[in-house]
Amino acid sequence: MKSESCCNIRLSRCSILTLLTVFTLNADARSQEIVLSPETEECLACHAELHPGLVASWEKSRHSRTTPGLAMQKSRLERRISSTQIDSKLIDVTVGCYECHSLNTDRHRDAFTHNGYIINVIVGSSDCSVCHAVEADQYSNNIMAHAHSNLVDNSLYRQLIETVNNPHTFEKEHLAIGKSDTLTDNESCLYCHGTRIQVRGRVTRETDFGALEFPVLEGWPNQGVGRINPDGSLGACTSCHPRHDFSIETARKPYTCSECHKGPDVPAYKVYVVSKHGNIFESKSTEYDFDSVPWTVGEDFTAPTCAACHASLLVSGDDNVIVERTHQFNDRLAWRLFGVPYAHPHPVSADLEEVKNSAGIPIATELDGEPVAEFVITEQEQKLRNERLQRICLTCHSSEWTGNHFIRLDNTIQKTNEMTYEGTRILMEIWNNGFARGLSQGENLFDEEIERVWTSLWLFHTNSTRFASAMTGGGDYGVFANGRYQATEQLYRLLDWLKTQKTIYGGSTPMRREDGN
Amino acid sequence: MKSESCCNIRLSRCSILTLLTVFTLNADARSQEIVLSPETEECLACHAELHPGLVASWEKSRHSRTTPGLAMQKSRLERRISSTQIDSKLIDVTVGCYECHSLNTDRHRDAFTHNGYIINVIVGSSDCSVCHAVEADQYSNNIMAHAHSNLVDNSLYRQLIETVNNPHTFEKEHLAIGKSDTLTDNESCLYCHGTRIQVRGRVTRETDFGALEFPVLEGWPNQGVGRINPDGSLGACTSCHPRHDFSIETARKPYTCSECHKGPDVPAYKVYVVSKHGNIFESKSTEYDFDSVPWTVGEDFTAPTCAACHASLLVSGDDNVIVERTHQFNDRLAWRLFGVPYAHPHPVSADLEEVKNSAGIPIATELDGEPVAEFVITEQEQKLRNERLQRICLTCHSSEWTGNHFIRLDNTIQKTNEMTYEGTRILMEIWNNGFARGLSQGENLFDEEIERVWTSLWLFHTNSTRFASAMTGGGDYGVFANGRYQATEQLYRLLDWLKTQKTIYGGSTPMRREDGN
Amino acid sequence: MKSESCCNIRLSRCSILTLLTVFTLNADARSQEIVLSPETEECLACHAELHPGLVASWEKSRHSRTTPGLAMQKSRLERRISSTQIDSKLIDVTVGCYECHSLNTDRHRDAFTHNGYIINVIVGSSDCSVCHAVEADQYSNNIMAHAHSNLVDNSLYRQLIETVNNPHTFEKEHLAIGKSDTLTDNESCLYCHGTRIQVRGRVTRETDFGALEFPVLEGWPNQGVGRINPDGSLGACTSCHPRHDFSIETARKPYTCSECHKGPDVPAYKVYVVSKHGNIFESKSTEYDFDSVPWTVGEDFTAPTCAACHASLLVSGDDNVIVERTHQFNDRLAWRLFGVPYAHPHPVSADLEEVKNSAGIPIATELDGEPVAEFVITEQEQKLRNERLQRICLTCHSSEWTGNHFIRLDNTIQKTNEMTYEGTRILMEIWNNGFARGLSQGENLFDEEIERVWTSLWLFHTNSTRFASAMTGGGDYGVFANGRYQATEQLYRLLDWLKTQKTIYGGSTPMRREDGN
């Protein structure tokens, strides 16, 4: 560490000329090991002045202080780079601007000619895979990589999106739902799921360096996990490894995950911080080493973070591997806790396009919660994944402790699914009586007040309860904080509404609903 | 500190033989002061490999770096150990695995023979009391020690638990509440309140060291504050001093308290972090000394944490004692803010078994909020407790500042109790009219939508408002964030529902309710 | 830094005599540069013992380690003091107790004779302006400085306050709203908005130093941003620079802002922490320099905090100024996102007393959301403010990234205003039909359940959605966490309620509402 930190020079304090010299000198001082490519030097010559924060952040990165060649010399456990064949042009230069922004330009619809070079605005996951091939490959099997299409190409989810994001107009006892707009979708659901970035022509802008032409990008900015990049690749590695320092420390800290996992639908971060794990992390993490590879249990950290359980390569003090690194995060997860509306064994494929149940609805369970066997992993595979995860638990906990925890989780998955089922039965009676119009009428399931009561039951409350159970704590997220208290309240609310409607209409199909609303 | 940290060796990097040698050498190097017992050495020989995280955490503890004998030599204010008579077998050895897990085995239903030793799986509060007698004694007078029984043996609270945790089945305009299951109860309410840990026989498991027999534990894992341990003792000291480093730093930081005090019913942590105290803590705590005993106001910390006000021994710079340490946290609290449904002077006894009001309901207030004098502390005792707490306030604030703060709190307690009362009056009219079935019918008070509206009024909104008032800040938790805005909204909702029912039924007992639902 | 920290002596460990000597010696050692005034020495003689925490906090402040004279010698960018003329009595002494608490005593209604000196209890913003004139002047143009009057003198907002804070009594199908009490108002809305501090006579108190007379203060304690001080000045600088260390680090960290900007109405802090900016801040801020003036982008910090974007003087590594410091925080803000009920261009004047629309309602928009041109800044001024803010964005982001972000925000402002409008249209129909009594009847707009549904729509959900959009992230605060999901649910709820009423009453004015409730 110490020998590396000395190269953390301050580009932005230098005039352009000095800047280049300093880099050269610095590289000299380190036996020519760290060399900027001439192209990157040229990038920095302008951009250090234009975007001093961006460049300073990169200077603090490991990318600025090593080369792929040096990174490949580390031992297997210590390596932070997984590709075994790297282009000779890249191997002995620092990972600078040009090295990342000039890859695979033929596939990049966002490539443009910029001061004589062909540059991609956006670095896609396939560009990162040049050095991080194994991680990119694993990530492609991660459900997150498909988060865009899994959402917007699912007809059921689209119904929900439309009722949430689209304009509503009050028209005579009716709320008419207007057309969606891309700007809203891109900053709401797709903020996390990832936008589809499209190139919409070229524009010329006046800059400090004269008029320059740039591609026009729709869906940009975005760092959603399933972003569809202009080169066709899926996923923004920057979701968790934010630019331009790409810090492993950041990725390993739970704050990163909170960006998308704090809402009432997936309150994983909230549960974590009130769990014993989170509590110890918060009080002790300034003493942890978040940069060490491999990551040693007990020594580098005493309480796990999200990354420790779901992603990182963990070893014990004697460099015995506890779990291998994975970027397919469900590798250690038997269940998809997040239920729409039911939790179920993890899907087999990360791409959910084919998934549908016997009623033709694009979800992996029947209406009563039974998983559709074809689309979910087997019990055997569930067992295997649980065992992987439990190897981590066992570094601190007894097998009884660990085993009992998972028995509770299984019970909670079953009980919360049953709660969702009872709520669904009440809503079915409401629909069947025509008090609201949804599944029975072939209409939107989410555009009436009572349908939203049902939606919140599973989207927020049973989901929250399962996360609280799974993550060894977060008692209140399973009770009073969007947990069982609220879940049962939604059941009472559904029933109360049904009864009121029956009283008013005497059980017959209400006239007022025949207008199609 | 420095001399201690050198003994933080890395057990897990060593083979078993080396490990024992290192410990001996290390002990030698420190003039034989720190000696592992042979039994603990034997524990570590296997468990360092089996549970490297657990052992590494213990290595970082003070327990691994001192002995009871050394600890007793400190001055009164500096002592972290309160027992004055400690068994000679324990006094000169490090506080290791065996020292804690082999105590009082005759009382431990979880004791089992393990490699020739009798070992308790669970260290109960009475085991900790061997060295920390005063703290254990104080804690037994803490309402938290009785949190299990105070909850599950209270018939009113059980009604609430059943409607929250038990399965519900939709049966013809009715939600039938099924039987409770222990797994759910243990991970929800009892996560914080503490489970009753019961030994359910023995099981033989294959381990890395051959087949071994272990006790089967129900209610495990758990670290709830009122846990009923297999030795009959009450409370898990690990609730706040988590295993196996038992760090005073962790106990003094507010994250620990957040584990159970962040939900909408007791949002103490949420209020704290947005208070001026919390805000200063969050921006400055990396400069604080959380390990120092005694804890010096202004020097070791500038803004108090939960522990500072409610537990710690505080001194000023000249070692003048401001408040003595207490593990009966209501020692400095005049009011039980958490109202079910009304706030009232703190109960006299930590065990609430006897408490009931004139209507026979097991709460310490009448239905109109009047405290039942017999069960609550006197005004004089309230004054005494307030004075204790205010001594801490006065280290930074003037007496006018401090006095005015408590005047506001008293007013808010009264005003929020009145709000709860008005809500109760509306619900009584609803019950009396038969629009819902509860107190008037001798039925469950929490199993209908409108009853839950009333429940949320006091369980979440007036409680939250009082915490916001008490903890010198958290403005919004008394206004828009589950505060007065939501409290008054629940009143409007109760009224709105009552009016709708009256309109529909014309004020007469509704037919539809006669079926018992 | 190092040379300064050596003067951080421990007053509270010293007897009074030693204390004074130490200060003198210490000052000697530093070439007489740091000298306590004799008056401050006298204050400390008692108060170090009485309020050790307060004094220790001041000792850690920059105030205790410098003098105005020294502070004025710094270069323009490095100066932390903006006044150019400072009274000679103050210029060469440390900024101690007496220096701040003895200013402008003739204007201070809280001034009192104390041990022979005239002392003000409360240091007002005009006292701080003695050294920090530019900041105080800027702050007077900050909408925050007027937060007290802008709230309590606005007849519409008073309606809301009354329904939230005042006692409610259930009287025969009616909730009667009682009179407000100052104690409640001061700890709820005015906790953030600021109280009006009034002097209510004098009181004699027994103290450790005999009987002493003090002013009696109403509205104290308080550090709300728009506090009306006893000297008539507006604003508590301690809102963000808390006593008595007045740390710039604290003001620059987002925790400070969370005190008032975390509730569901203005969830700026919540949005920030889940944004990429917040995520990087949380994982990296221990490496940042929060004390440096000027504040260098990329070098001192890599992710901006609230202060970076809205207040601080920022430079790039070569000391090029990116933005000048401002204490008028809307200097860089084109829009007032917080809508009551509509977002609109920022008001021209920080004092909103004159603002009203064509219907006579004291808000800056018409009922359909159209801004009242006279009271809001022009498009040109909006452009100017956006450009100021964008200069900060551009230090790390491209102009396309930045531009697209603001296009999305503009769209979201429009779309959320439309949502509020549709909700308002439904409520208007409810009012016009007499199902509830509000605008159409000239009655309170916030005192019925259905009115609160409408209130939450804009006060919480469309506001939250706009903050999520504006602050480059916080996806869920625009979707499932009080965002568009909840906003549209409120629309469905309004419609559902309207339909039920129509069904029950057949569209005619309901009899039951004719009683005036």
Side-chain angles (χ1 to χ4, degrees), chain C residues 219-293:
Chain C
W220 182 246
N222 182 261
Q223 310 100 51
V225 293
R227 192 179 71 196
I228 302 181
N229 300 311
D231 65 351
S233 67
L234 299 181
C237 302
T238 51
S239 304
C240 309
H241 302 276
R243 307 170 312 155
H244 273 98
D245 68 352
F246 312 102
S247 156
I248 197 170
E249 177 177 356
T250 299
R252 281 173 169 178
K253 287 189 173 173
Y255 314 117
T256 299
C257 309
S258 79
E259 197 168 347
C260 297
H261 295 264
K262 198 180 181 183
D265 52 329
V266 281
Y269 176 78
K270 287 183 159 182
V271 168
Y272 174 75
V273 287
V274 299
S275 76
K276 195 57 93 190
H277 288 158
N279 155 359
I280 298 172
F281 163 79
E282 287 198 277
S283 68
K284 288 292 188 184
S285 61
T286 51
E287 300 167 14
Y288 292 2
D289 183 345
F290 285 96
D291 191 54
S292 176
V293 171

Side-chain angles (χ1 to χ4, degrees), chain B residues 276 298 394 412 485 492 499, chain C residues 51 60 187 239 512 517:
Chain B
K276 195 58 92 191
L394 290 167
T412 294
Y485 179 91
Y492 297 146
K499 282 178 162 181
Chain C
H51 306 298
K60 290 177 177 165
E187 78 166 36
S239 304
R512 65 164 181 151
N517 184 43

Side-chain angles (χ1 to χ4, degrees), chain B residues 270 273-276 278-280 282-284 286-288 296-302 316-320 322 393-402 404-405 407-409 411-412 415 418-419 422 425-426 429 465 468-470 472-482 484-486 488-493 495-496 498-500 502-504, chain C residues 10 12-13 50-54 56-57 60 160 163-170 173-175 177 181 183-184 186-189 191 195 205 215-217 219-223 238-240 242-243 245 247 249-250 253 255-256 258-260 262-266 269 286 446-449 452-453 455-456 459-460 493 497 500-501 504-505 512-513 517:
Chain B
K270 286 183 162 183
V273 287
V274 299
S275 75
K276 195 58 92 191
N279 156 357
I280 297 173
E282 288 198 277
S283 68
K284 288 292 187 183
T286 51
E287 299 167 15
Y288 291 2
T296 306
V297 170
E299 204 171 293
D300 293 330
F301 63 92
T302 53
S316 59
D318 45 10
D319 274 356
N320 271 335
I322 296 161
C393 310
L394 290 167
T395 62
C396 287
H397 300 291
S398 72
S399 54
E400 175 153 37
W401 175 296
T402 304
N404 282 356
H405 167 71
I407 289 170
R408 281 186 193 156
L409 173 59
N411 178 63
T412 294
K415 292 289 160 63
E418 285 169 11
M419 232 188 290
E422 296 304 318
R425 288 180 60 221
I426 304 178
E429 181 155 338
T465 300
S469 174
T472 73
D476 243 331
Y477 292 98
V479 189
F480 291 141
N482 273 339
R484 293 169 178 92
Y485 179 91
Q486 281 77 15
T488 51
E489 184 168 349
Q490 301 300 69
L491 292 179
Y492 297 146
R493 198 172 287 174
L495 182 65
D496 187 82
L498 170 60
K499 282 178 162 181
T500 300
K502 282 204 175 171
T503 306
I504 296 175
Chain C
R10 295 177 175 178
S12 44
R13 282 207 191 275
L50 282 172
H51 306 298
L54 184 162
S57 167
K60 290 177 177 165
L160 178 58
T163 70
V164 170
N165 282 351
N166 290 21
H168 286 64
T169 312
F170 176 51
E173 305 204 3
H174 179 76
L175 275 161
I177 299 181
D181 75 290
L183 291 171
T184 295
N186 282 349
E187 78 166 36
S188 55
C189 307
Y191 177 81
T195 57
R205 287 206 196 89
V216 176
L217 300 176
W220 182 246
N222 182 261
Q223 310 100 51
T238 51
S239 304
C240 309
R243 307 170 312 155
D245 68 352
S247 156
E249 177 177 356
T250 299
K253 287 189 173 173
Y255 314 117
T256 299
S258 79
E259 197 168 347
C260 297
K262 198 180 181 183
D265 52 329
V266 281
Y269 176 78
T286 51
F446 309 105
D447 67 346
E448 297 188 55
E449 166 56 13
R452 283 292 183 87
V453 170
T455 309
S456 297
L459 185 58
F460 301 152
R493 199 172 285 171
W497 196 88
T500 300
Q501 299 297 313
I504 297 175
Y505 294 110
R512 65 164 181 151
R513 303 285 175 175
N517 184 43

Side-chain angles (χ1 to χ4, degrees), chain A residues 374-496:
Chain A
E374 170 186 2
F375 298 116
V376 301
I377 60 174
T378 61
E379 269 190 48
Q380 200 177 359
E381 174 67 16
Q382 283 192 295
K383 198 158 168 284
L384 189 75
R385 296 189 183 191
N386 265 341
E387 279 168 5
R388 262 188 221 122
L389 184 56
Q390 289 170 10
R391 283 209 294 274
I392 306 171
C393 309
L394 291 167
T395 62
C396 287
H397 300 291
S398 72
S399 54
E400 177 154 34
W401 175 296
T402 304
N404 282 356
H405 167 72
F406 282 85
I407 289 169
R408 281 187 193 154
L409 174 58
D410 285 353
N411 178 63
T412 294
I413 289 171
Q414 186 197 322
K415 293 287 161 62
T416 52
N417 274 349
E418 285 169 12
M419 231 188 291
T420 299
Y421 177 58
E422 296 303 319
T424 306
R425 287 181 59 221
I426 305 178
L427 185 60
M428 287 301 302
E429 181 156 336
I430 288 169
W431 280 331
N432 289 340
N433 276 280
F435 298 135
R437 300 179 65 91
L439 203 58
S440 314
Q441 292 77 15
E443 297 186 8
N444 191 304
L445 311 190
F446 309 105
D447 66 346
E448 297 188 56
E449 165 57 12
I450 198 62
E451 293 168 340
R452 283 292 182 87
V453 170
W454 167 76
T455 308
S456 297
L457 163 64
W458 51 263
L459 185 59
F460 301 152
H461 309 316
T462 59
N463 273 331
S464 177
T465 300
R466 285 188 291 266
F467 279 101
S469 174
M471 293 174 65
T472 74
D476 243 330
Y477 292 99
V479 189
F480 292 141
N482 273 339
R484 294 171 178 91
Y485 179 92
Q486 282 76 16
T488 52
E489 184 168 349
Q490 301 300 68
L491 292 180
Y492 297 146
R493 198 171 286 172
L494 283 159
L495 181 64
D496 188 82

Side-chain angles (χ1 to χ4, degrees), chain B residues 369-472:
Chain B
E370 186 66 23
V372 185
E374 171 184 3
F375 298 115
V376 301
I377 59 174
T378 61
E379 269 189 49
Q380 200 177 0
E381 174 69 16
Q382 284 193 293
K383 199 158 167 283
L384 189 73
R385 296 188 183 190
N386 265 341
E387 280 168 4
R388 265 189 218 119
L389 183 56
Q390 289 169 9
R391 283 210 293 274
I392 307 170
C393 310
L394 290 167
T395 62
C396 287
H397 300 291
S398 72
S399 54
E400 175 153 37
W401 175 296
T402 304
N404 282 356
H405 167 71
F406 283 84
I407 289 170
R408 281 186 193 156
L409 173 59
D410 285 354
N411 178 63
T412 294
I413 290 170
Q414 186 198 321
K415 292 289 160 63
T416 52
N417 274 351
E418 285 169 11
M419 232 188 290
T420 298
Y421 178 58
E422 296 304 318
T424 306
R425 288 180 60 221
I426 304 178
L427 185 60
M428 287 299 302
E429 181 155 338
I430 287 170
W431 281 331
N432 289 340
N433 276 281
F435 298 135
R437 300 179 65 92
L439 204 58
S440 313
Q441 291 78 15
E443 296 187 9
N444 192 305
L445 311 190
F446 309 105
D447 66 346
E448 297 188 56
E449 165 57 13
I450 198 63
E451 293 169 340
R452 283 291 183 86
V453 170
W454 167 75
T455 308
S456 297
L457 163 64
W458 50 264
L459 184 59
F460 301 150
H461 309 315
T462 59
N463 273 332
S464 177
T465 300
R466 284 188 291 266
F467 279 101
S469 174
M471 293 174 66
T472 73

Side-chain angles (χ1 to χ4, degrees), chain A residues 90-121:
Chain A
L90 295 170
I91 204 140
D92 287 327
V93 294
T94 285
V95 187
C97 321
Y98 187 73
E99 284 63 42
C100 298
H101 284 273
S102 69
L103 296 166
N104 311 308
T105 50
D106 51 331
R107 285 188 302 209
H108 269 273
R109 301 200 52 192
D110 59 324
F112 70 116
T113 303
H114 186 56
N115 293 323
Y117 296 104
I118 302 181
I119 298 294
N120 308 319
V121 177

Side-chain angles (χ1 to χ4, degrees), chain B residues 37 48 103 150 181 189 241 275 322 326 345 353 363 427 432 464 469 473 477 486-487:
Chain B
S37 67
L103 296 166
N150 285 347
D181 76 290
C189 306
H241 302 277
S275 75
I322 296 161
T326 182
E353 196 185 346
I363 56 175
L427 185 60
N432 289 340
S464 177
S469 174
Y477 292 98
Q486 281 77 15

Side-chain angles (χ1 to χ4, degrees), chain C residues 70-308:
Chain C
L70 287 170
M72 290 170 86
Q73 291 167 23
K74 302 250 182 180
S75 70
R76 184 184 87 82
L77 290 179
E78 288 176 310
R79 278 186 71 181
R80 292 161 194 259
I81 193 170
S82 56
S83 300
T84 49
Q85 299 284 335
I86 294 177
D87 192 294
S88 61
K89 273 193 342 200
L90 296 169
I91 204 140
D92 287 327
V93 293
T94 285
V95 187
C97 321
Y98 187 74
E99 284 64 41
C100 298
H101 284 273
S102 70
L103 296 167
N104 313 308
T105 51
D106 50 330
R107 284 188 301 208
H108 270 272
R109 301 200 52 192
D110 59 325
F112 70 116
T113 304
H114 186 57
N115 293 326
Y117 296 104
I118 302 181
I119 298 295
N120 308 319
V121 177
I122 294 168
V123 176
S125 51
S126 56
D127 300 324
C128 300
S129 79
V130 165
C131 293
H132 304 283
V134 172
E135 289 70 32
D137 185 56
Q138 290 170 338
Y139 189 75
S140 72
N141 293 317
N142 189 333
I143 203 165
M144 290 181 178
H146 300 267
H148 178 94
S149 306
N150 284 348
L151 181 69
V152 304
D153 295 344
N154 181 304
S155 59
L156 182 70
Y157 299 172
R158 286 192 74 90
Q159 277 191 17
L160 178 58
I161 295 173
E162 282 163 17
T163 70
V164 170
N165 282 351
N166 290 21
H168 286 64
T169 312
F170 176 51
E171 293 173 356
K172 197 171 172 306
E173 305 204 3
H174 179 76
L175 275 161
I177 299 181
K179 285 207 290 196
S180 64
D181 75 290
T182 307
L183 291 171
T184 295
D185 288 348
N186 282 349
E187 78 166 36
S188 55
C189 307
L190 303 180
Y191 177 81
C192 288
H193 281 258
T195 57
R196 174 187 295 273
I197 296 178
Q198 308 213 55
V199 181
R200 303 295 195 196
R202 291 285 184 276
V203 68
T204 299
R205 287 206 196 89
E206 278 308 315
T207 76
D208 291 359
F209 301 89
L212 293 173
E213 200 185 61
F214 300 93
V216 176
L217 300 176
E218 184 182 288
W220 182 246
N222 182 261
Q223 310 100 51
V225 293
R227 192 179 71 196
I228 302 181
N229 300 311
D231 65 351
S233 67
L234 299 181
C237 302
T238 51
S239 304
C240 309
H241 302 276
R243 307 170 312 155
H244 273 98
D245 68 352
F246 312 102
S247 156
I248 197 170
E249 177 177 356
T250 299
R252 281 173 169 178
K253 287 189 173 173
Y255 314 117
T256 299
C257 309
S258 79
E259 197 168 347
C260 297
H261 295 264
K262 198 180 181 183
D265 52 329
V266 281
Y269 176 78
K270 287 183 159 182
V271 168
Y272 174 75
V273 287
V274 299
S275 76
K276 195 57 93 190
H277 288 158
N279 155 359
I280 298 172
F281 163 79
E282 287 198 277
S283 68
K284 288 292 188 184
S285 61
T286 51
E287 300 167 14
Y288 292 2
D289 183 345
F290 285 96
D291 191 54
S292 176
V293 171
W295 216 15
T296 306
V297 171
E299 205 171 294
D300 293 330
F301 63 92
T302 54
T305 64
C306 315

